[in-house]
Amino acid sequence: MTRDSRQATLGSISESDEIESLEDIDWTFKGVDTREYTHGLHNYPARMVPQIVDRLLSFYKDEGVVEEGDLVYDPFSGSGTTSVEARLHGLNAEANDINPFAVMLSQAKAIPLERAGLSDARDALLEGLSDELREVREEFKSEGEVSWLEMPDVRDGWFPEPQLHELAHIRDRIDDIEDEFGIEYARFFRLVLSHTTRKVSYQRNGEFKRYRLSEEDREDHDPNVEDTFTKKLKKNYDLMVGYSEKVDHSLDTTIHYSDSRSAVEDVGEEKADIVITSPPYGDHRTTVAYGQFSQDPALLTGKVGYDEMKDVDKNGLGGKNQVLEPLSELEEYSPTLKATLDTLREKDGRSDDAMNFFRDYYAVMEQVAEITKSGQPVAWVVANRTMSRVNIPTHLITRELCEHLGYEFTHNLPREIPNKTLPWENAPENVEGTKGNLMANENIVILRAP
Ligand SMILES: C[S@@+](CC[C@H](N)C(=O)[O-])C[C@H]1O[C@@H](n2cnc3c(N)ncnc32)[C@H](O)[C@@H]1O
């Protein structure tokens, strides 16, 4: 796809203009559509605005720094925004994430499906489904269970019962599709099932931690599974067809289920020409709980176990499952980190948590330096969070730690966050109902790889 045809939908820069300087762009992208193409297939917390990746790739392609067929790397894939944009720009992509659900999400969004195969698989899935779901409901009503269904390992009391059985039945039908049409098609339908799972469960919408509806609201909650599933299927079908017709099917996208603190073991065979990534803001427990968000949808796929999902938030950067030795020298490498930790220590704040997070983040910077071709751009999209009410200037710390590793700083591009899905209402302590300004702006920090 040409950049011009893309820009017609993106606004702000006129179709014929080349991007002369990154500083000329309004990186806030207020009011843009962030759900075009497969970006709209499924929600994910703290999703990156696709236009950021689009503009960076356009700029570096115009400059001749990146060419079609080159490789983009993202150490924090999340829902795969970078990989989808890479393919829209004629580029291969590699990414990794420690959340198995994010891996599936990224694959389903970035790897295009042929229209003919998709429509055959969809017809096969829907054939007879309505009658089968009715049978499931009737069986549950008369027997209190559905003997032919294996129930998913979700927590008791988080789903209305007949509906949970219907979801399990759709899961089994998708397994049949996997056998007949292949895993790519099954993944596509699993995202639709996952969306349906969220809508059907008692989990409150708009929260990034698991909060249940009140007892009163639970009594009134009687969602129609088939309706929710088929409506989302139709929407996602159109989005996938639009994407599939735009992109080159011969490109490669590989999403690894692995830890970016040791990614060289899995990635790195071919070196990346550009890196565009948005790291977590802090440990998952006190910022965005990606694992909790993904738990029920992942368990409903029947492909991921409960223990594996429970570990996602402990394995995230700065999480409980520390895999790296502490590194006290980090404070010498970044004066801003030292000043921040000193302030936290004075306040008896969470200096150890901050240190653990930056120690892990630094390991990713080291790995990215190895994975990326020397001199090529690495863009970190970072938000400055608060901890113990102390502002953590992550953009400055990112720059200083990278410079210590030999990266060469080129840009810091600030942006506001008007439409990013974030836990706005949460206080820094992440207490339900307490409000605080956790993150209000981001910076895109760009450096050349050492
Ligand atoms: C801010 S999100 C990325 C969002 C993504 N750019 C998007 O648009 O959807 C950060 C991601 O980093 C992942 N993550 C955290 N620690 C990780 C680690 N050690 N290795 C790999 N991924 C990790 C989380 O699971 C989460 O999906």
Side-chain angles (χ1 to χ4, degrees):
M1 137 184 262
T2 65
R3 181 162 63 82
D4 286 354
S5 64
R6 196 71 212 289
Q7 282 181 354
T9 64
L10 291 172
S12 108
I13 291 183
S14 80
E15 288 188 25
S16 55
D17 279 353
E18 295 229 325
I19 305 172
E20 281 184 6
S21 140
L22 290 175
E23 281 87 357
D24 290 344
I25 296 173
D26 176 1
W27 294 94
T28 295
F29 296 114
K30 196 157 190 263
V32 295
D33 178 6
T34 61
R35 306 185 71 80
E36 49 172 8
Y37 302 110
T38 49
H39 293 302
L41 290 190
H42 197 283
N43 281 343
Y44 195 71
R47 211 159 57 83
M48 183 155 47
V49 172
Q51 282 77 2
I52 294 179
V53 188
D54 171 66
R55 288 296 150 87
L56 288 172
L57 291 177
S58 294
F59 174 75
Y60 286 111
K61 276 166 72 186
D62 283 349
E63 295 282 296
V65 173
V66 174
E67 291 173 5
E68 295 212 348
D70 277 356
L71 179 65
V72 184
Y73 173 56
D74 181 354
F76 302 107
S77 188
S79 63
T81 306
T82 294
S83 300
V84 169
E85 282 300 319
R87 199 177 277 258
L88 284 162
H89 282 267
L91 300 158
N92 297 303
E94 279 203 66
N96 56 319
D97 205 290
I98 37 132
N99 178 358
F101 182 72
V103 172
M104 186 189 77
L105 189 48
S106 301
Q107 289 165 328
K109 284 167 71 176
I111 300 170
L113 300 174
E114 298 290 350
R115 178 201 276 263
L118 186 59
S119 106
D120 288 350
R122 177 201 54 193
D123 295 347
L125 177 64
L126 292 180
E127 200 188 339
L129 186 66
S130 195
D131 290 341
E132 290 164 15
L133 292 176
R134 189 174 330 109
E135 222 178 291
V136 166
R137 283 196 301 272
E138 282 166 6
E139 178 77 6
F140 181 80
K141 208 169 160 198
S142 69
E143 303 297 322
E145 60 171 4
V146 183
S147 57
W148 62 85
L149 288 176
E150 194 181 315
M151 294 314 286
D153 206 3
V154 293
R155 271 203 287 178
D156 285 347
W158 281 76
F159 284 87
E161 285 273 304
Q163 283 92 340
L164 182 59
H165 289 76
E166 290 180 78
L167 294 171
H169 180 77
I170 298 177
R171 173 206 62 201
D172 288 356
R173 287 294 306 271
I174 296 174
D175 285 347
D176 296 341
I177 295 290
E178 180 161 342
D179 294 341
E180 197 180 338
F181 292 87
I183 192 165
E184 277 88 3
Y185 291 93
R187 267 189 217 124
F188 174 81
F189 297 118
R190 287 193 210 291
L191 292 199
V192 181
L193 175 63
S194 162
H195 168 90
T196 311
T197 302
R198 282 285 294 210
K199 295 276 171 209
V200 164
S201 88
Y202 289 139
Q203 188 167 346
R204 257 174 19 207
N205 280 325
E207 304 271 5
F208 292 104
K209 296 225 162 188
R210 288 167 55 108
Y211 297 124
R212 254 193 326 178
L213 293 174
S214 67
E215 203 176 332
E216 204 183 358
D217 288 344
R218 291 207 292 275
E219 271 164 28
D220 293 340
H221 187 61
D222 186 23
N224 183 322
V225 172
E226 184 184 348
D227 209 42
T228 312
F229 184 80
T230 48
K231 272 194 190 135
K232 182 65 177 164
L233 177 55
K234 188 177 176 324
K235 247 191 208 160
N236 280 10
Y237 179 88
D238 292 342
L239 289 172
M240 176 53 87
V241 168
Y243 176 69
S244 177
E245 284 172 355
K246 287 274 184 214
V247 298
D248 178 350
H249 287 227
S250 70
L251 291 166
D252 283 327
T253 303
T254 311
I255 317 288
H256 303 267
Y257 173 32
S258 66
D259 192 327
S260 54
R261 290 168 291 190
S262 51
V264 172
E265 291 166 13
D266 310 290
V267 192
E269 203 166 290
E270 191 195 333
K271 290 209 166 195
D273 299 279
I274 184 165
V275 175
I276 303 176
T277 193
S278 59
Y281 308 114
D283 66 283
H284 293 196
R285 186 175 59 84
T286 60
T287 57
V288 182
Y290 299 97
Q292 275 194 26
F293 172 88
S294 313
Q295 187 161 306
D296 289 338
L299 294 177
L300 247 302
T301 65
K303 304 289 171 200
V304 190
Y306 182 70
D307 288 342
E308 211 177 339
M309 279 318 293
K310 253 183 61 184
D311 261 358
V312 169
D313 291 331
K314 292 183 196 151
N315 288 337
L317 293 197
K320 230 172 160 188
N321 289 351
Q322 279 295 306
V323 292
L324 300 167
E325 294 295 321
L327 186 65
S328 53
E329 292 88 336
L330 227 50
E331 290 185 62
E332 290 161 30
Y333 304 162
S334 164
T336 307
L337 177 62
K338 182 175 178 351
T340 307
L341 292 173
D342 284 345
T343 311
L344 281 169
R345 284 181 196 116
E346 273 166 34
K347 287 189 71 169
D348 267 341
R350 296 176 30 223
S351 58
D352 286 351
D353 287 352
M355 186 55 157
N356 288 342
F357 173 77
F358 283 106
R359 199 286 164 253
D360 282 352
Y361 185 21
Y362 182 73
V364 180
M365 295 168 182
E366 281 181 304
Q367 298 277 299
V368 167
E370 275 192 54
I371 289 166
T372 314
K373 285 182 189 157
S374 176
Q376 292 299 105
V378 177
W380 309 91
V381 182
V382 296
N384 294 349
R385 66 172 303 210
T386 54
M387 282 175 101
S388 310
R389 308 260 170 200
V390 174
N391 180 46
I392 314 286
T394 308
H395 64 304
L396 299 177
I397 301 173
T398 300
R399 174 181 173 171
E400 289 167 1
L401 291 178
C402 278
E403 283 181 328
H404 177 79
L405 288 167
Y407 287 79
E408 187 195 327
F409 173 79
T410 62
H411 300 84
N412 187 82
L413 309 163
R415 66 180 298 269
E416 286 167 25
I417 316 178
N419 50 8
K420 189 163 185 166
T421 315
L422 279 174
W424 283 111
E425 304 288 281
N426 282 355
E429 299 81 11
N430 228 323
V431 176
E432 185 189 2
T434 324
K435 296 190 181 188
N437 193 359
L438 193 62
M439 303 148 220
N441 52 49
E442 287 183 334
N443 288 276
I444 306 167
V445 186
I446 310 178
L447 305 101
R448 286 190 229 281

